[in-house]
Amino acid sequence: MPSPFDRRLMVLSILSVLLLVISGYLGLRYYEQTRLLEQHRLQAERHQQALLKLRIDLQTLLSAESSQLTQLEVQARQLAEQARQLALYRQVLAPDGGVELLLAQEDIIPQAEPGLFAYRLVLLQPTQISHRITGQARLKVRALQAGQSVLFTDDMLGVAPITLDFRHFQVITGQLRLPADSQAQRLELQLILDNKASRTLSLNWPVLDNT
């Protein structure tokens, strides 16, 4: 029959074996968890890199699309301007000498500030053999104010007299300010010409909302 010492020794041996088994099991579990965590970390990094690449590709596509849209808008404006210039040159070269001077084009664009407008006019002499036109032009606007028809002079519009000196056409640009509570109806260009009779050319105000 084993002595008490032997029994204690057996218990200690069994406990030692159990501790070794448990330690080995825990070590394997720790290694497996560490390996899984590393796999998850690497997979997450790959996903982040793929997502970053997708974002970069998307930004590149959006930037390219925006650039193409900008180029198309610029080309459309250029084509429109070329068409206008072509129409102008056709008028310049027109064989009909019955009309001596006319306003061939107009752009009247409202600005951000109420009552302020930018204008671009083309004064044209549409004859094949054109004489030089010199003198002055004064801009006026016929409008409605308080239900009454009024004529605003260049002084009232903040526009200086324009010096004329051209053979075929002259582009006139600038800004004007309409008085408050007025609605423009017609733009008038009074021509005070050297060695020619003065005259006034006019056109309908092309802007609908001009108050």
Side-chain angles (χ1 to χ4, degrees), residues 111-128:
Q111 304 299 288
E113 186 177 345
L116 186 65
F117 294 84
Y119 59 86
R120 180 182 185 274
L121 309 172
V122 178
L123 185 58
L124 175 67
Q125 183 177 209
T127 58
Q128 287 182 324

Side-chain angles (χ1 to χ4, degrees), residues 5 10 26 71 73 79 84 92 105 109 111 117 130 132 144-145 153 157 160 162-163 177 184 193-194 205:
F5 176 78
M10 291 176 61
L26 292 177
Q71 291 177 357
E73 291 175 356
L79 288 175
R84 295 178 61 178
V92 169
Q105 289 177 289
I109 304 172
Q111 304 299 288
F117 294 84
S130 300
R132 180 165 293 280
L144 286 177
Q145 190 176 45
T153 63
L157 299 170
I162 303 153
T163 300
R177 183 183 301 277
L193 305 177
D194 299 334
W205 189 268

Side-chain angles (χ1 to χ4, degrees), residues 115-160:
L116 186 65
F117 294 84
Y119 59 86
R120 180 182 185 274
L121 309 172
V122 178
L123 185 58
L124 175 67
Q125 183 177 209
T127 58
Q128 287 182 324
I129 302 175
S130 300
H131 304 287
R132 180 165 293 280
I133 300 295
T134 58
Q136 275 192 343
R138 308 198 70 150
L139 197 66
K140 301 179 182 181
V141 172
R142 193 169 296 276
L144 286 177
Q145 190 176 45
Q148 301 294 322
S149 178
V150 295
L151 182 65
F152 298 128
T153 63
D154 49 3
D155 291 334
M156 301 169 67
L157 299 170
V159 179

Side-chain angles (χ1 to χ4, degrees), residues 86-96 124-128 168:
L86 179 59
L88 176 61
Y89 294 147
R90 284 176 176 173
Q91 287 180 298
V92 169
L93 299 176
D96 182 14
L124 175 67
Q125 183 177 209
T127 58
Q128 287 182 324
H168 297 292

